[in-house]
Amino acid sequence: MYDGREPTLQHQAMDALLTHAQASTLPNAAIIQQIVDFENKLYTAQVFDTQAQSLNTQGASGGPAALAQGQAGLAAAPNTFSLYTAWANLPPYAPAATQRTSVARGEAIFNGRPFIISNVAGINDLAGTNILPGTCATCHGNTNAGNDVHPQAQLDEGTGGSAFSLPAPDLPMFLITCAAGKSTPFNGSSVWTRDPGLALITGKCADIGKVKSAQLRGLAGRAPYFHDGSAAKLSDVVNFYNKRFSLNLSPQDMQDLVNFLSAL
Ligand code: HEC
């Protein structure tokens, strides 16, 4: 879960059985394990895009089949994603070449465009520096999947209550005041937030607003984005990052990134 409330898939399955499914007793551990084994064999990824067309031709490896065969883990930088490297130098007469080369440029921006990560609780405080050079892949580093390589890591990059948050007028705003002597790493001891995140689970002031870095496959099929749905479209996500981390992306860079994220 975004706020880390379920430590394992087994635990999640048991909670879902008792709450959603309203079971009066839990099945034995072998059945719980079968549910988890089933979940671990599900692979969801975009295999076709209306503009880039088939996502696993001409050397590209989009789609669930390649995802299922892939190796999870931290790739050597700068190649967290390598699905569309082969599309970088397509000749202009190749099918869907304009869109496909844009997807490849977006992948390269995701992997390698440098920026400074600052004021992110869960990263900058642990790294001991508030000027941390990084890329999109720093927090979305799992090879060709994009979730965080540290499964227990939760971060507050300011999606839900900072000066950079996208507007979400229907959501409530909570003012949380920390107990005496306690404060968040970067937001002081009195915090406005739409969602306390991990702090709801741990009860710790330092965890206010922390959620996990999302995995990025199948994005085109599951708008809206961010844990609170505050980004209606992928272009809203890219706009958020452009401002939040002063990326200085050109309109073409932004379009390339959106086209790449739409092809995952
Ligand atoms: C400092 C760590 C960090 C960096 C750097 C970062 N992200 Fe994220 N990303 C996160 C976290 C944490 C979330 C979850 C935020 C939320 O739900 O409120 C997230 C969520 C997302 C989502 C939404 C996924 C969904 O299912 O809702 C997308 C898309 C995304 N990031 C793309 C990017 C791109 C593109 C870049 C580079 C421009 C980037 N991220 C850089 C940490 C990071």
Side-chain angles (χ1 to χ4, degrees):
M1 303 291 183
Y2 266 106
D3 60 12
R5 68 181 55 212
E6 297 289 0
T8 61
L9 283 174
Q10 284 79 358
H11 204 276
Q12 193 282 330
M14 291 191 274
D15 278 352
L17 281 163
L18 292 176
T19 51
H20 302 317
Q22 303 194 340
S24 48
T25 53
L26 282 173
N28 62 38
I31 293 192
I32 298 288
Q33 191 54 44
Q34 284 169 14
I35 295 174
V36 172
D37 290 345
F38 166 70
E39 290 174 338
N40 276 327
K41 289 192 175 62
L42 296 175
Y43 296 90
T44 306
Q46 195 83 2
V47 75
F48 188 87
D49 173 82
T50 47
Q51 292 181 71
Q53 308 282 311
S54 171
L55 297 173
N56 54 7
T57 54
Q58 287 185 304
S61 48
L67 179 60
Q69 286 150 17
Q71 291 272 313
L74 192 58
N79 290 322
T80 287
F81 279 93
S82 55
L83 305 172
Y84 299 114
T85 327
W87 283 359
N89 298 308
L90 290 177
Y93 52 79
T98 309
Q99 186 75 6
R100 288 179 179 176
T101 46
S102 168
V103 168
R105 286 194 303 270
E107 182 178 73
I109 293 171
F110 186 97
N111 285 333
R113 183 71 61 90
F115 53 87
I116 298 298
I117 298 171
S118 54
N119 297 330
V120 180
I123 287 205
N124 291 104
D125 45 339
L126 301 185
T129 172
N130 207 16
I131 306 176
L132 184 70
T135 65
C136 301
T138 305
C139 306
H140 296 280
N142 212 345
T143 317
N144 288 327
N147 50 323
D148 199 320
V149 284
H150 310 289
Q152 305 299 335
Q154 251 89 12
L155 323 167
D156 177 16
E157 57 170 357
T159 46
S162 73
F164 299 96
S165 310
L166 296 163
D170 292 338
L171 292 179
M173 264 287 184
F174 304 104
L175 176 62
I176 302 180
T177 307
C178 303
K182 304 280 182 196
S183 73
T184 61
F186 301 105
N187 295 319
S189 56
S190 184
V191 188
W192 288 99
T193 183
R194 298 197 291 238
D195 188 341
L198 180 63
L200 279 178
I201 313 305
T202 63
K204 289 188 180 156
C205 187
D207 291 334
I208 294 173
K210 283 188 189 170
V211 293
K212 74 175 183 181
S213 294
Q215 66 91 9
L216 302 178
R217 299 307 296 263
L219 281 171
R222 56 181 171 86
Y225 307 102
F226 294 146
H227 72 285
D228 58 5
S230 57
K233 293 181 295 200
L234 288 168
S235 53
D236 297 322
V237 171
V238 170
N239 273 322
F240 166 83
Y241 279 110
N242 197 33
K243 293 198 184 111
R244 170 64 179 84
F245 294 115
S246 306
L247 270 103
N248 220 355
L249 296 173
S250 71
Q252 184 66 58
D253 292 338
M254 290 201 183
Q255 191 59 54
D256 292 343
L257 209 39
V258 168
N259 289 346
F260 165 64
L261 295 171
S262 307
L264 289 176

